[in-house]
Amino acid sequence: MSGQGFKSVVYQGETRLGELDVAPASDQSFQFPNNTLPATFYPPEDLINLYGSCLYEFKTAVVVLGDEEIHIVAIPSKQKKSSLALHNLRCLAIVFDLDETLIVSNTMKSFGDKIETLQGWLTHETDPVRVGGMLAELKRYVDDRTLLKEYSENHYVLDNGKMFKVQMEEVPQLSDNREKVVRPVIRLQDKGIVLTCINPEIRDISVLVRLCPAWEDLRSYLNAKGRKRFEVIVCTMAERDYALEMWRLLDPEAQLINSRELLCLCEIWF
């Protein structure tokens, strides 16, 4: 082991590619020595194959060291400066699609449309397996619509005999020009369901949101040990207020995208 770290042998499967200099870092200000990425690989054919596989298949090579992971990222040589900046930040970009991936949201109207469509399909379906799946999906829509109707009309819901009342959640102001917004929210943690209203004055547009089942585990991984491991990018075609509220439900402490970044987003949103 040298004063700056130690060497680790790199394999692709059973093939030895070479040695990688590993430099432990204990703070966020770490920079690669001499602003270079020291590594010695052989034979070159195997390195080229690994590089090409990562670059063209949009993959990273992952090395597990105890509780830590090292991601080896292939970047075109013309982007060397960007590569060094990315490595010095020790942060990779990850892109999410918001609707139908991280969350599935429905209003009373969309529930009605989906229920009507499923009922129409059921009248023509003869496959018992498909019928069973459709009936299960139909029941979920009906149950969820009942919850949403109860929330919209009463400010509470009953789930398995237990009453859940709304909690008034203040939406963080992203600029001084925006009015303070407080939304009535019910979170059913065990079911991964959140009920909210984008505009509290119009209860007819209340929304039932189902979060991605593994979202909490994924969110913890993205921000493991209090360090931001990924630069999160969220794609959506939704309107601004809806998209911001859905993301607030997913990341209430603004750990993945901070308020300053959201403010910049609001300024360019159109």
Side-chain angles (χ1 to χ4, degrees), residues 123-138:
T123 60
H124 303 289
E125 185 57 62
T126 58
D127 186 331
V129 175
R130 290 179 59 84
V131 168
M134 289 181 182
L135 288 173
E137 187 175 7
L138 180 62

Side-chain angles (χ1 to χ4, degrees), residues 131-155:
V131 168
M134 289 181 182
L135 288 173
E137 187 175 7
L138 180 62
K139 182 180 184 304
R140 186 175 72 250
Y141 285 151
V142 171
D143 291 345
D144 284 357
R145 184 176 65 172
T146 300
L147 275 178
L148 182 58
K149 185 174 187 294
E150 198 169 30
Y151 159 81
S152 178
E153 294 178 352
N154 304 318
H155 274 207

Side-chain angles (χ1 to χ4, degrees), residues 82-150:
S82 299
S83 170
L84 290 171
L86 182 65
H87 279 285
N88 282 328
L89 287 174
R90 293 183 293 155
C91 186
L92 297 177
I94 186 168
V95 181
F96 290 116
D97 178 39
L98 182 62
D99 293 292
E100 305 299 327
T101 304
L102 294 182
I103 59 101
V104 177
S105 65
N106 281 286
T107 62
M108 290 295 293
K109 182 180 185 306
S110 64
F111 273 134
D113 293 342
K114 290 179 178 180
I115 289 171
E116 183 179 353
T117 299
L118 269 177
Q119 289 173 334
W121 288 349
L122 280 167
T123 60
H124 303 289
E125 185 57 62
T126 58
D127 186 331
V129 175
R130 290 179 59 84
V131 168
M134 289 181 182
L135 288 173
E137 187 175 7
L138 180 62
K139 182 180 184 304
R140 186 175 72 250
Y141 285 151
V142 171
D143 291 345
D144 284 357
R145 184 176 65 172
T146 300
L147 275 178
L148 182 58
K149 185 174 187 294
E150 198 169 30

